[in-house]
Coordinates of all heavy atoms in Angstrom, one line a residue:
V1 N 0.1 -28.8 -6.6 CA -0.2 -28.0 -5.4 C -1.7 -28.1 -5.1 O -2.5 -27.7 -5.9 CB 0.2 -26.5 -5.6 CG1 -0.3 -25.7 -4.4 CG2 1.7 -26.4 -5.7
Y2 N -2.0 -28.5 -3.9 CA -3.4 -28.6 -3.4 C -3.7 -27.5 -2.4 O -3.0 -27.4 -1.4 CB -3.7 -30.0 -2.7 CG -3.4 -31.2 -3.6 CD1 -2.1 -31.8 -3.5 CD2 -4.3 -31.7 -4.4 CE1 -1.8 -32.9 -4.3 CE2 -4.0 -32.8 -5.2 CZ -2.8 -33.4 -5.1 OH -2.5 -34.5 -5.9
V3 N -4.7 -26.6 -2.8 CA -5.0 -25.5 -1.9 C -6.4 -25.9 -1.3 O -7.4 -26.0 -2.0 CB -5.1 -24.2 -2.6 CG1 -5.3 -23.0 -1.7 CG2 -3.8 -24.0 -3.5
L4 N -6.4 -26.0 0.0 CA -7.7 -26.4 0.7 C -8.3 -25.3 1.5 O -7.7 -24.7 2.4 CB -7.3 -27.6 1.7 CG -6.5 -28.8 1.1 CD1 -6.2 -29.8 2.2 CD2 -7.3 -29.4 0.0
N5 N -9.6 -25.0 1.1 CA -10.4 -24.0 1.8 C -9.9 -22.5 1.5 O -8.7 -22.2 1.7 CB -10.4 -24.2 3.3 CG -11.2 -25.4 3.6 OD1 -12.1 -25.8 3.0 ND2 -10.7 -26.1 4.7
N6 N -10.8 -21.7 1.0 CA -10.5 -20.3 0.7 C -9.3 -20.2 -0.3 O -8.4 -19.3 -0.1 CB -10.2 -19.5 1.9 CG -11.4 -19.5 2.8 OD1 -12.5 -19.2 2.4 ND2 -11.2 -19.8 4.1
A7 N -9.3 -21.0 -1.3 CA -8.2 -21.0 -2.3 C -8.3 -19.7 -3.2 O -9.4 -19.3 -3.6 CB -8.3 -22.2 -3.2
F8 N -7.2 -19.1 -3.4 CA -7.1 -17.9 -4.2 C -5.8 -17.8 -5.0 O -4.7 -17.9 -4.4 CB -7.3 -16.7 -3.3 CG -7.4 -15.4 -4.1 CD1 -8.4 -15.1 -5.0 CD2 -6.4 -14.3 -3.9 CE1 -8.5 -13.9 -5.7 CE2 -6.5 -13.1 -4.6 CZ -7.6 -12.9 -5.5
L9 N -5.9 -17.7 -6.3 CA -4.7 -17.6 -7.2 C -4.7 -16.3 -8.0 O -5.8 -15.9 -8.5 CB -4.7 -18.8 -8.1 CG -4.2 -20.2 -7.6 CD1 -5.2 -20.8 -6.7 CD2 -3.8 -21.1 -8.8
V10 N -3.6 -15.7 -8.1 CA -3.4 -14.5 -8.8 C -2.2 -14.7 -9.8 O -1.2 -15.2 -9.4 CB -3.2 -13.3 -7.9 CG1 -3.0 -12.0 -8.8 CG2 -4.3 -13.1 -7.0
Q11 N -2.4 -14.3 -11.0 CA -1.4 -14.4 -12.0 C -1.3 -13.1 -12.9 O -2.4 -12.7 -13.4 CB -1.6 -15.6 -12.9 CG -0.5 -15.8 -14.0 CD -0.9 -16.9 -15.0 OE1 -2.0 -17.1 -15.3 NE2 0.2 -17.6 -15.4
Q12 N -0.1 -12.6 -13.0 CA 0.0 -11.4 -13.9 C 0.3 -11.9 -15.3 O 1.3 -12.7 -15.5 CB 1.1 -10.5 -13.4 CG 1.2 -9.2 -14.1 CD 2.2 -8.2 -13.5 OE1 3.2 -8.7 -12.9 NE2 2.0 -7.0 -13.6
D13 N -0.4 -11.3 -16.3 CA -0.2 -11.8 -17.7 C 0.8 -10.9 -18.4 O 1.4 -10.0 -17.7 CB -1.6 -11.8 -18.4 CG -2.2 -10.4 -18.5 OD1 -1.6 -9.4 -18.4 OD2 -3.5 -10.4 -18.6
T14 N 1.0 -11.1 -19.7 CA 2.0 -10.4 -20.4 C 1.7 -8.9 -20.6 O 2.6 -8.1 -20.9 CB 2.2 -11.0 -21.8 OG1 0.9 -11.1 -22.5 CG2 2.7 -12.5 -21.6
I15 N 0.5 -8.5 -20.4 CA 0.2 -7.1 -20.6 C -0.1 -6.4 -19.2 O -0.9 -5.4 -19.1 CB -1.0 -6.9 -21.5 CG1 -2.3 -7.6 -21.1 CG2 -0.7 -7.3 -22.9 CD1 -3.5 -7.3 -21.9
K16 N 0.4 -7.0 -18.2 CA 0.4 -6.5 -16.8 C -1.0 -6.5 -16.1 O -1.2 -5.8 -15.2 CB 0.9 -5.1 -16.8 CG 2.3 -4.9 -17.4 CD 3.3 -5.8 -16.6 CE 4.7 -5.6 -17.2 NZ 5.8 -6.4 -16.5
N17 N -2.0 -7.2 -16.7 CA -3.2 -7.4 -16.1 C -3.1 -8.6 -15.1 O -2.3 -9.5 -15.2 CB -4.3 -7.7 -17.1 CG -4.7 -6.5 -17.9 OD1 -4.7 -5.4 -17.5 ND2 -4.9 -6.7 -19.2
F18 N -4.1 -8.7 -14.1 CA -4.0 -9.7 -13.1 C -5.2 -10.7 -13.3 O -6.4 -10.2 -13.2 CB -4.1 -9.1 -11.7 CG -2.8 -8.4 -11.3 CD1 -2.6 -7.1 -11.6 CD2 -1.7 -9.1 -10.8 CE1 -1.5 -6.4 -11.2 CE2 -0.5 -8.5 -10.5 CZ -0.4 -7.1 -10.7
N19 N -5.0 -11.9 -13.6 CA -6.0 -12.9 -13.7 C -6.2 -13.5 -12.3 O -5.2 -13.9 -11.6 CB -5.6 -14.0 -14.7 CG -5.3 -13.5 -16.1 OD1 -6.1 -12.7 -16.5 ND2 -4.3 -13.9 -16.7
Q20 N -7.4 -13.6 -11.8 CA -7.7 -14.1 -10.5 C -8.7 -15.3 -10.5 O -9.6 -15.3 -11.2 CB -8.3 -13.0 -9.6 CG -7.4 -11.7 -9.6 CD -8.0 -10.6 -8.8 OE1 -8.4 -10.7 -7.7 NE2 -8.2 -9.4 -9.5
I21 N -8.4 -16.3 -9.7 CA -9.2 -17.5 -9.5 C -9.5 -17.7 -8.0 O -8.6 -17.7 -7.2 CB -8.6 -18.7 -10.1 CG1 -8.3 -18.5 -11.6 CG2 -9.4 -19.9 -9.9 CD1 -7.6 -19.6 -12.3
K22 N -10.8 -17.9 -7.7 CA -11.1 -18.1 -6.3 C -12.1 -19.3 -6.2 O -12.9 -19.5 -7.1 CB -11.8 -16.9 -5.7 CG -12.1 -17.1 -4.2 CD -12.7 -15.8 -3.6 CE -12.9 -15.9 -2.1 NZ -13.4 -14.7 -1.5
G23 N -11.9 -20.2 -5.2 CA -12.8 -21.4 -5.1 C -12.6 -21.9 -3.7 O -11.8 -21.4 -2.9
R24 N -13.3 -22.9 -3.4 CA -13.2 -23.6 -2.1 C -11.8 -24.3 -2.0 O -11.0 -24.1 -1.1 CB -14.3 -24.6 -1.8 CG -14.3 -25.1 -0.4 CD -15.3 -26.2 -0.1 NE -15.0 -27.4 -0.9 CZ -15.7 -28.5 -0.9 NH1 -16.8 -28.6 -0.2 NH2 -15.3 -29.6 -1.6
D25 N -11.6 -25.2 -3.1 CA -10.4 -25.9 -3.2 C -9.8 -25.8 -4.6 O -10.6 -25.6 -5.5 CB -10.6 -27.4 -2.9 CG -11.2 -27.7 -1.5 OD1 -10.8 -26.9 -0.6 OD2 -12.0 -28.6 -1.4
V26 N -8.5 -25.8 -4.7 CA -7.9 -25.7 -6.0 C -6.7 -26.7 -6.1 O -6.0 -26.9 -5.1 CB -7.3 -24.2 -6.3 CG1 -6.3 -24.2 -7.4 CG2 -8.4 -23.3 -6.5
T27 N -6.6 -27.3 -7.3 CA -5.5 -28.2 -7.5 C -4.8 -27.7 -8.8 O -5.4 -27.5 -9.8 CB -5.9 -29.7 -7.8 OG1 -6.6 -30.2 -6.7 CG2 -4.7 -30.5 -8.1
A28 N -3.5 -27.3 -8.6 CA -2.7 -26.8 -9.7 C -1.7 -27.9 -10.1 O -1.0 -28.5 -9.3 CB -2.0 -25.6 -9.3
Y29 N -1.6 -28.2 -11.4 CA -0.7 -29.2 -12.0 C 0.5 -28.4 -12.6 O 0.3 -27.5 -13.4 CB -1.4 -30.1 -13.0 CG -2.6 -30.8 -12.4 CD1 -3.8 -30.2 -12.3 CD2 -2.4 -32.1 -11.9 CE1 -4.9 -30.9 -11.8 CE2 -3.5 -32.8 -11.4 CZ -4.8 -32.2 -11.3 OH -5.8 -32.8 -10.7
F30 N 1.7 -29.0 -12.4 CA 2.9 -28.3 -13.0 C 3.6 -29.1 -14.0 O 3.5 -30.4 -14.0 CB 3.9 -28.0 -11.8 CG 3.4 -27.0 -10.9 CD1 2.4 -27.2 -9.9 CD2 4.0 -25.7 -10.9 CE1 2.0 -26.2 -9.1 CE2 3.6 -24.7 -10.1 CZ 2.6 -24.9 -9.1
R31 N 4.2 -28.4 -15.0 CA 5.0 -29.0 -16.0 C 6.2 -28.1 -16.2 O 6.1 -26.9 -16.4 CB 4.2 -29.1 -17.3 CG 5.1 -29.8 -18.4 CD 4.2 -29.9 -19.7 NE 3.1 -30.8 -19.6 CZ 2.2 -30.9 -20.5 NH1 2.3 -30.3 -21.7 NH2 1.2 -31.8 -20.3
K32 N 7.4 -28.7 -16.0 CA 8.7 -28.0 -16.1 C 8.7 -26.8 -15.2 O 9.2 -25.7 -15.5 CB 8.9 -27.6 -17.6 CG 9.1 -28.8 -18.5 CD 9.4 -28.3 -19.9 CE 9.6 -29.5 -20.9 NZ 9.9 -29.0 -22.3
G33 N 8.2 -27.0 -14.0 CA 8.3 -25.9 -13.0 C 7.3 -24.9 -13.0 O 7.3 -23.9 -12.2
K34 N 6.3 -24.9 -14.0 CA 5.3 -23.9 -14.2 C 3.9 -24.5 -14.2 O 3.8 -25.7 -14.6 CB 5.6 -23.1 -15.4 CG 6.9 -22.3 -15.4 CD 7.0 -21.5 -16.7 CE 8.3 -20.6 -16.7 NZ 8.4 -19.8 -17.9
I35 N 2.9 -23.7 -13.8 CA 1.5 -24.2 -13.7 C 1.1 -24.5 -15.2 O 1.1 -23.7 -16.0 CB 0.6 -23.2 -13.1 CG1 0.9 -23.1 -11.6 CG2 -0.9 -23.6 -13.2 CD1 0.1 -22.1 -10.8
N36 N 0.6 -25.7 -15.4 CA 0.1 -26.1 -16.7 C -1.4 -26.3 -16.7 O -2.1 -26.1 -17.8 CB 0.7 -27.5 -17.1 CG 0.3 -28.0 -18.4 OD1 0.6 -27.3 -19.5 ND2 -0.4 -29.1 -18.5
Q37 N -2.0 -26.6 -15.6 CA -3.5 -26.8 -15.5 C -4.0 -26.5 -14.1 O -3.3 -26.8 -13.2 CB -3.8 -28.3 -15.9 CG -5.3 -28.6 -15.8 CD -5.6 -30.1 -16.1 OE1 -4.9 -30.7 -17.0 NE2 -6.6 -30.6 -15.5
I38 N -5.2 -26.0 -14.0 CA -5.8 -25.7 -12.7 C -7.2 -26.2 -12.7 O -8.0 -26.0 -13.6 CB -5.8 -24.1 -12.5 CG1 -4.4 -23.6 -12.4 CG2 -6.5 -23.8 -11.1 CD1 -4.3 -22.1 -12.3
D39 N -7.5 -27.0 -11.6 CA -8.9 -27.5 -11.3 C -9.4 -26.7 -10.1 O -8.7 -26.7 -9.1 CB -8.9 -29.0 -11.1 CG -8.5 -29.8 -12.3 OD1 -8.5 -29.2 -13.4 OD2 -8.2 -31.0 -12.1

């Protein structure tokens, strides 16, 4: 998944906290249907 301009990702972890990533562009790599790596 390529996110171009104003990229923003939010993920809820196992203890209900929210991990947030923001950047100009983001590339997310998937393995078995789930995100495995984020640039």
Side-chain angles (χ1 to χ4, degrees):
V1 171
Y2 303 93
V3 188
L4 307 178
N5 294 324
N6 297 313
F8 186 60
L9 282 73
V10 180
Q11 179 187 37
Q12 188 175 29
D13 60 25
T14 55
I15 57 174
K16 305 301 182 180
N17 291 323
F18 290 93
N19 302 317
Q20 304 176 56
I21 299 175
K22 185 175 183 179
R24 187 186 69 178
D25 303 323
V26 165
T27 302
Y29 301 86
F30 287 77
R31 180 181 295 175
K32 296 182 179 180
K34 295 182 179 181
I35 292 178
N36 180 63
Q37 177 183 327
I38 298 174
D39 292 345

